[in-house]
């Protein structure tokens, strides 16, 4: 019998009232993938903390919609189904201006 | 003004009545990421074609739910929010036994 191909999540990291993030546990995947990933939820009416880092990152918007703030000078609406790319050291955060959860997957790599 | 950080999709690949797949266009991302990705939709009551390949793959289930068939001997229900990992040359397909679209993101790497 093959192993069920569902990955587990590490315990959540909670950001006050705004967001919770669960990183994926790749313990059983060898060799390790060339990226890490997580799932996060931004609560209705909340904005995720500003995130700035050297690694590059993609967000896959799974459900809900919101407004992306990118590199100080861009604000644009994004919807479920969209895929976003953030270059190194470009600040990004998302405002959930809706009444439902905003759920997204994130992957990042060096 | 920074570029809006939303990636574009290539034209869809249509699999009969069952599924449509849009690969991501990474033309404007340099260096290229160490993976490729797509978004796909499995229609209600349909099953995706059997997929077997050397590259490793993760699926992020964005909305809906269905039954994964994996490596001939595993069948298990998956729900929106789940992340799946398929090892090299392990056949996988998903049956959407619901009345709503099943939407997922796929990433694959060597």
């Amino acid at each position: 019998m093959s192993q069920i191909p569902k990955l587990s999540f590490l315990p959540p990291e909670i950001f006050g009232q705004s967001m919770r993030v669960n990183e994926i546990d790749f313990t059983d995947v060898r060799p390790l993938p060339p990226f890490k990933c997580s799932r996060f939820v931004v609560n209705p009416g909340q904005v995720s903390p500003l995130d700035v880092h050297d690694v590059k990152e993609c967000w896959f918007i799974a459900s809900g919609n919101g407004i992306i703030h990118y590199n100080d000078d861009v604000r644009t609406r994004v919807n479920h189904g969209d895929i976003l790319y953030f270059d190194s050291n470009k600040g990004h955060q998302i405002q959930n201006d809706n009444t439902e959860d905003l759920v997204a997957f994130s992957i990042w790599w060096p």
Side-chain angles (χ1 to χ4, degrees), chain A:
Chain A
M1 185 79 174
S2 306
Q3 192 171 12
I4 289 175
K6 206 183 286 193
L7 294 172
S8 300
F9 294 94
L10 297 171
E13 191 177 0
I14 307 285
F15 294 84
Q17 298 301 308
S18 65
M19 182 168 73
R20 67 176 188 278
V21 181
N22 287 85
E23 193 171 329
I24 297 299
D25 183 359
F26 278 114
T27 301
D28 294 332
V29 175
R30 288 293 179 279
L32 285 170
F35 55 82
K36 292 187 170 186
C37 60
S38 68
R39 184 186 62 198
F40 66 88
V41 179
V42 181
N43 294 321
Q46 299 290 323
V47 59
S48 65
L50 179 66
D51 201 20
V52 190
H53 43 65
D54 193 54
V55 293
K56 299 160 196 304
E57 186 172 14
C58 278
W59 283 359
F60 302 83
I61 310 298
S63 64
N65 72 78
I67 299 168
I68 286 282
H69 303 202
Y70 184 59
N71 199 32
D72 291 336
D73 62 354
V74 171
R75 287 184 179 217
T76 191
R77 180 161 295 281
V78 295
N79 292 294
H80 56 91
D82 285 342
I83 302 186
L84 311 173
Y85 167 72
F86 308 127
D87 205 354
S88 297
N89 304 308
K90 305 274 193 185
H92 47 275
Q93 60 190 147
I94 190 163
Q95 177 187 357
N96 180 359
D97 60 347
N98 256 285
T99 53
E100 57 172 326
D101 285 353
L102 185 145
V103 182
F105 300 102
S106 164
I107 63 178
W108 62 96
W109 66 97

